[in-house]
Amino acid sequence: MKRSLFYSLAILFFLFPAILLGLKSVTPIWRWGEPLSFNWTLRGWTSFWMDDRILHALWLSLLIALTVTLINLAVGMMAGKALSHSSFKGKSMLETLLLLPLFVPAMAAAIGLHITMIRLGLANHWTGVVIVHLVPTIPYTIKIMKAGYDRLGSDLIDQSRMLKAGPFRTFREIELPLLLPSVRSAVFLVVTISMSQYVLTAIIGGGSVITLPIIYYPFLQSVDDTVMAAFSIVFAILPVFAVLIIELISRFFITKNSFFNRGAV
C-alpha cells in the first residue's frame, strides 16, 4: 500500500510534469480560448540548437559545473574526513563557521568577492566564476561527506593501515566505494546549484561569461513557450549528464580487484 502510494505520488509530481513539458516542446503555441490542436513541430528544438550563443553557454556551463564539482569533492572529502575522524578543540565552532556562507546573501558575497577578483585579474573570466560558485556549494559538500565518513567509520581504514596499505590505495579500494552514495548526492546538489547561479555569475562574469542561466532567466519573458519548453528540458538534463560524467570518473578510480570485489566483505 505504501509503495503504491509512493509510486503514484512520484508519477503525479515528477513524471507527469516532465511528460507535459516534453509535449509542449513539440507542439505549437496554444492560447486560452483557442481549440486544442496536436500539430507537431520541431521549431522549439530547431531554434534552440541553431543558436550558437546557446550552444556556447551550454558547454561553458557544463565546464564550470564540472570544475566546481571536482574542487568540491576534493575539499569536501578532506574536510569531511578530518571533521569525522578527528577530535580537536574548537571542532564544533569550525563546523558552524563552514556553514556561514549559506546564511550570507548571494548579492553581498558577490559584491565583496568582486573587488578581490578585480585585483587578482579573475573578474570577467570563467575561472573567477568557478571560484565564486564554491561559496554556496562547498558547505553542502563538506556536510554530506562528513555524514558519509561518519557512516563509514574508521575500523576499515585502520585495518588497511595495519596491512601496510598506503593512503591512496586505502582511499581507492575502501573509502571511495563506500562513499559513492554520498558522492552522488554531493555531485547532483553541486551541479544543480552551480548551473542555477544567475546573480553570482552575472556580477563576477561581468557579462563576458555567458552561461545558461544568463540566457535562460531573461528568456522567461518570451511568449514562445514552445522554445521555452525545449530550453527547460535541456536545462534539466544537464545536471543528470554531469552526474554521469562524475560517476564514470569515480568508477575509473575504483579498481576491479578492490577490497570489496575480491569478496573480503
Side-chain angles (χ1 to χ4, degrees):
M1 180 63 183
K2 291 182 179 180
R3 181 176 297 181
S4 301
L5 179 62
F6 171 77
Y7 286 124
S8 300
L9 291 175
I11 292 174
L12 178 63
F13 290 108
F14 297 102
L15 186 59
F16 187 66
I19 293 175
L20 289 180
L21 191 63
L23 289 175
K24 190 57 197 171
S25 69
V26 292
T27 53
I29 300 174
W30 178 80
R31 294 178 176 84
W32 179 259
E34 295 180 352
L36 290 174
S37 62
F38 292 95
N39 298 321
W40 307 106
T41 177
L42 295 176
R43 181 176 54 82
W45 290 99
T46 303
S47 301
F48 179 86
W49 291 112
M50 293 300 291
D51 193 333
D52 294 335
R53 186 183 59 157
I54 293 179
L55 292 178
H56 178 267
L58 188 151
W59 292 115
L60 183 59
S61 299
L62 192 60
L63 172 64
I64 291 174
L66 290 175
T67 306
V68 172
T69 301
L70 291 175
I71 296 175
N72 264 268
L73 290 178
V75 175
M77 285 184 174
M78 290 187 291
K81 185 176 182 180
L83 291 172
S84 176
H85 293 178
S86 303
S87 297
F88 51 88
K89 188 177 181 180
K91 178 180 176 181
S92 300
M93 180 64 69
L94 178 60
E95 289 187 50
T96 304
L97 290 174
L98 290 174
L99 294 177
L100 284 182
L102 301 178
F103 302 98
V104 177
M107 182 68 74
I111 293 176
L113 288 171
H114 193 209
I115 300 174
T116 304
M117 295 296 178
I118 292 174
R119 292 175 177 174
L120 295 176
L122 297 176
N124 303 335
H125 196 270
W126 71 272
T127 52
V129 175
V130 167
I131 294 173
V132 78
H133 282 193
L134 297 176
V135 175
T137 55
I138 278 187
Y140 288 114
T141 305
I142 292 176
K143 201 70 176 175
I144 292 173
M145 299 314 301
K146 179 183 179 301
Y149 273 105
D150 287 341
R151 292 191 299 269
L152 172 63
S154 59
D155 292 342
L156 288 175
I157 298 176
D158 292 339
Q159 290 178 26
S160 68
R161 290 172 180 171
M162 292 176 61
L163 295 172
K164 307 300 182 181
F168 180 75
R169 186 177 182 183
T170 300
F171 172 77
R172 187 176 182 178
E173 297 191 5
I174 296 178
E175 296 179 32
L176 187 56
L178 291 176
L179 289 173
L180 273 181
S182 298
V183 170
R184 294 188 186 104
S185 301
V187 167
F188 190 82
L189 185 62
V190 169
V191 169
T192 303
I193 293 174
S194 177
M195 286 193 171
S196 63
Q197 289 300 318
Y198 176 78
V199 174
L200 296 178
T201 304
I203 294 177
I204 304 301
S208 300
V209 181
I210 306 299
T211 58
L212 277 181
I214 301 297
I215 302 176
Y216 181 79
Y217 290 128
F219 218 87
L220 289 174
Q221 304 298 325
S222 172
V223 296
D224 195 340
D225 49 2
T226 301
V227 178
M228 276 305 304
F231 205 132
S232 300
I233 290 175
V234 175
F235 200 83
I237 289 177
L238 275 180
V240 178
F241 184 68
V243 169
L244 291 177
I245 294 176
I246 298 297
E247 181 79 10
L248 291 175
I249 294 175
S250 63
R251 290 291 182 180
F252 174 78
F253 283 101
I254 300 177
T255 56
K256 293 183 179 180
N257 61 339
S258 66
F259 181 76
F260 298 97
N261 291 332
R262 288 197 301 265
V265 174

